[in-house]
Amino acid sequence: MENIKELQQDIIDIYGNKTRVKVRGLLIRDHSEVLLIKHLTIGENKFYYAPPGGGIDFGESAEESLIREFYEETGLRVKIKKFLFTHEYLSPPFHEVELFFEIEETGGKLKLGKDPEMESDNQIIEEVKFWNISEIQKKDAGLFHNIFRLGKTDTELLNLKGYFLQKGNI
């Protein structure tokens, strides 16, 4: 792997300085655990945890994109249960409009996947695991996607509706 400064510059070159439309899926098991991906990134912490998902490719529907992204990142096959909410992240050099869906697992085997936009020896996906939602609340909020500040239980997360704007990292 390249050194961290080169990796961070690659992240900015690939994902930064443009508006990206993304999809993310909430896969919650046993009403207490949510599947999260540990992504290497720029910023103070150098990583953060977020639900699986990614950018929508041209000509691909949001649902098709989420099913593809979920498989690439986790090895799991999923189906869409319902659309939940929109989350916009605006902190230059990043600007992302994320569409969140509740999803259901239909097959596959959980494994550490890859980000196809990054070189195979320079991956930013470092871990894939189910996190207890109550444990997330005890950790540094800056290490997790902003939605865990908006919903602190599985019920609250799955009942988020509307549009949420996050400017900056807090």
Side-chain angles (χ1 to χ4, degrees), residues 26-88:
L26 290 179
L27 175 56
I28 297 176
R29 128 177 128 180
D30 300 327
H31 300 286
S32 63
E33 295 184 321
V34 62
L35 186 61
L36 298 179
I37 306 289
K38 181 180 180 183
H39 294 271
L40 298 177
T41 189
I42 68 170
E44 182 180 327
N45 295 318
K46 311 283 188 270
F47 70 91
Y48 79 107
Y49 290 93
I56 298 174
D57 289 342
F58 180 80
E60 185 177 50
S61 74
E63 290 185 351
E64 291 167 336
S65 178
L66 183 54
I67 290 166
R68 175 186 52 77
E69 286 282 349
F70 221 93
Y71 184 73
E72 289 172 354
E73 292 184 353
T74 71
L76 295 178
R77 300 282 182 195
V78 297
K79 71 177 184 178
I80 308 298
K81 287 180 79 175
K82 67 180 177 180
F83 174 73
L84 297 172
F85 58 91
T86 302
H87 179 270
E88 184 172 8

Side-chain angles (χ1 to χ4, degrees), residues 97-109:
V97 177
E98 301 169 307
L99 308 174
F100 274 81
F101 294 83
E102 179 183 5
I103 55 123
E104 181 179 311
E105 182 179 352
T106 61
K109 183 175 177 167

Side-chain angles (χ1 to χ4, degrees), residues 116-127:
E117 293 173 291
M118 302 295 291
E119 298 295 326
S120 60
D121 63 343
N122 205 26
Q123 286 293 303
I124 59 174
I125 297 174
E126 203 170 70
E127 179 182 56

Side-chain angles (χ1 to χ4, degrees), residues 22 66 93 98 104 110 118 130-131 137 143-144 147 163:
K22 297 174 70 174
L66 183 54
E98 301 169 307
E104 181 179 311
L110 186 63
M118 302 295 291
F130 280 92
W131 275 81
Q137 301 305 320
L143 299 178
F144 293 88
I147 64 164
Y163 164 80

